[in-house]
Amino acid sequence: MVLSTESLATPTSTTCFDDGSYTVSKRSIRKSSSSDTPNPPLYIVYPNEKGTYPVILFLHGFSIPNISYTDMFEFIASHGYIIVAPGQTLIELLRGLCVFSAVGDVDSAAETANWIDENLQSVLPNDVSPDLENVALAGHSKGGKAAFALALGHANTSLKFKALIGLDPVAGRDNADRLEPKILNYIPKNFNISLPIALIGTGLGDDGCCGCFPPAAPWGCNHPFFFNECKPPTCYFVAKDFGHMDMLDDWLAKLAGMFVCKTGKGSYADMRRACGGIFVAFLKAYMFNEPVDLTAIIDSPNSVAPIKLDPVLWLKS
């Protein structure tokens, strides 16, 4: 691995962690008998102002409602992005609890990607358009693993992605019990992915909760192992003092912290702002060749970010 330390610019401040200039709206779209909408209900957050905006296909974590990322989605959309987040039906939720696999998640993600390519414009206001030349693929937890699997070609889609972002991705219960399709092989730079990649990990994700629950992002299947298999260009950020679900809306982050996984002591709002700001800075750099914010984070992470980031790496070659 080669860590680049050269700076393209050293700004005194960055705007990616501040609220964007756009107002936003959100809507849920369910499948009907006369609709081409994919079966998982879709949650869409978009800017209100007239314009053409890049798109993020975001895949939720295991059994996590897609609407529970609303605060983070609204922050990202305020910077001029359309987020499309597929959800899950009750049957899919029950199947996910019984079948230890992500194959169905990858297939559903591909179905949603094809729907974005063909039908997203039809559910947006007439003066708000998706920029289908600039589409990012992202996901959290099990959805992060599904995003990597889709990027690796485990399902086919007509939509072409410009970047990949993994938000504390999880590949399974442990390295001997990984979710299908198994994508981690523990070989450095093994992923055959030509996209620029950003990884956001959590420092507490591989800790259990109250001594009763196993880690939500267990060692051997969590972010450092994904990073090890990524090829440059890759950016890597670890929210050192936060847990696996601390970027969710407050109600679920608090609930998860009591019953599911270890939570940090910092502000959930700051964690969401940090994750959203990294999304914005990374996509500006790799979609639009505007690396100033990303460079600022890499050069001085704890001067510009609202939370402690350690480590922070940018592998360019």
Side-chain angles (χ1 to χ4, degrees):
M1 293 181 178
V2 178
L3 170 61
S4 174
T5 56
E6 68 177 278
S7 174
L8 298 174
T10 308
T12 56
S13 64
T14 176
T15 61
C16 65
F17 297 114
D18 300 326
D19 290 335
S21 59
Y22 297 95
T23 62
V24 304
S25 291
K26 51 189 181 288
R27 63 175 303 188
S28 295
I29 302 174
R30 297 188 176 275
K31 186 177 181 63
S32 66
S33 58
S34 60
S35 170
D36 292 328
T37 306
N39 192 43
L42 301 179
Y43 187 53
I44 302 175
V45 184
Y46 56 90
N48 290 317
E49 287 75 14
K50 178 180 180 180
T52 300
Y53 302 100
V55 179
I56 301 170
L57 169 57
F58 186 94
L59 311 179
H60 64 83
F62 176 67
S63 298
I64 299 176
N66 53 0
I67 60 171
S68 60
Y69 299 91
T70 292
D71 287 348
M72 187 177 71
F73 288 169
E74 289 185 344
F75 177 86
I76 296 170
S78 77
H79 285 266
Y81 294 86
I82 299 169
I83 297 100
V84 179
Q88 57 191 346
T89 63
L90 178 59
I91 292 176
E92 289 166 337
L93 172 61
L94 295 174
R95 184 186 300 122
L97 293 172
C98 300
V99 180
F100 191 63
S101 173
V103 172
D105 302 71
V106 180
D107 291 340
S108 292
E111 184 183 7
T112 302
N114 292 334
W115 178 87
I116 290 172
D117 197 18
E118 299 171 3
N119 297 295
L120 176 57
Q121 179 63 76
S122 66
V123 302
L124 295 171
N126 291 334
D127 56 357
V128 174
S129 299
D131 179 1
L132 297 181
E133 297 299 315
N134 286 295
V135 181
L137 174 61
H140 170 234
S141 192
K142 184 185 180 187
K145 178 254 172 55
F148 271 83
L150 184 57
L152 285 164
H154 286 275
N156 295 320
T157 171
S158 59
L159 192 63
K160 303 301 181 183
F161 299 108
K162 197 78 171 283
L164 172 63
I165 303 175
L167 181 54
D168 219 20
V170 178
R173 296 189 183 105
D174 57 53
N175 58 2
D177 193 12
R178 304 192 303 281
L179 289 166
E180 295 288 349
K182 295 179 180 179
I183 61 172
L184 288 182
N185 292 295
Y186 306 99
I187 301 171
K189 299 182 181 179
N190 184 63
F191 286 149
N192 185 24
I193 298 174
S194 59
L195 304 172
I197 299 171
L199 274 170
I200 305 172
T202 60
L204 305 180
D206 59 351
D207 288 350
C209 180
C210 306
C212 304
F213 292 91
W219 185 255
C221 292
N222 59 343
H223 56 88
F225 296 90
F226 279 82
F227 176 65
N228 181 56
E229 300 204 29
C230 290
K231 297 176 180 178
T234 301
C235 295
Y236 183 42
F237 312 87
V238 179
K240 187 176 181 65
D241 301 320
F242 286 85
H244 181 65
M245 297 175 72
D246 287 352
M247 74 294 295
L248 301 177
D249 293 352
D250 276 1
W251 70 272
L252 189 52
K254 292 176 181 177
L255 194 64
M258 289 188 289
F259 299 107
V260 179
C261 59
K262 189 168 183 178
T263 186
K265 296 182 179 180
S267 162
Y268 296 136
D270 286 347
M271 177 60 168
R272 291 190 292 267
R273 190 173 292 270
C275 293
I278 290 170
F279 268 65
V280 170
F282 176 73
L283 294 179
K284 284 172 65 178
Y286 283 102
M287 282 184 172
F288 304 109
N289 195 28
E290 297 176 12
V292 172
D293 283 348
L294 184 58
T295 301
I297 301 171
I298 297 296
D299 286 352
S300 304
N302 298 312
S303 296
V304 298
I307 65 172
K308 183 174 183 179
L309 298 172
D310 181 25
V312 172
L313 304 173
W314 190 358
L315 307 183
K316 296 182 182 179
S317 61

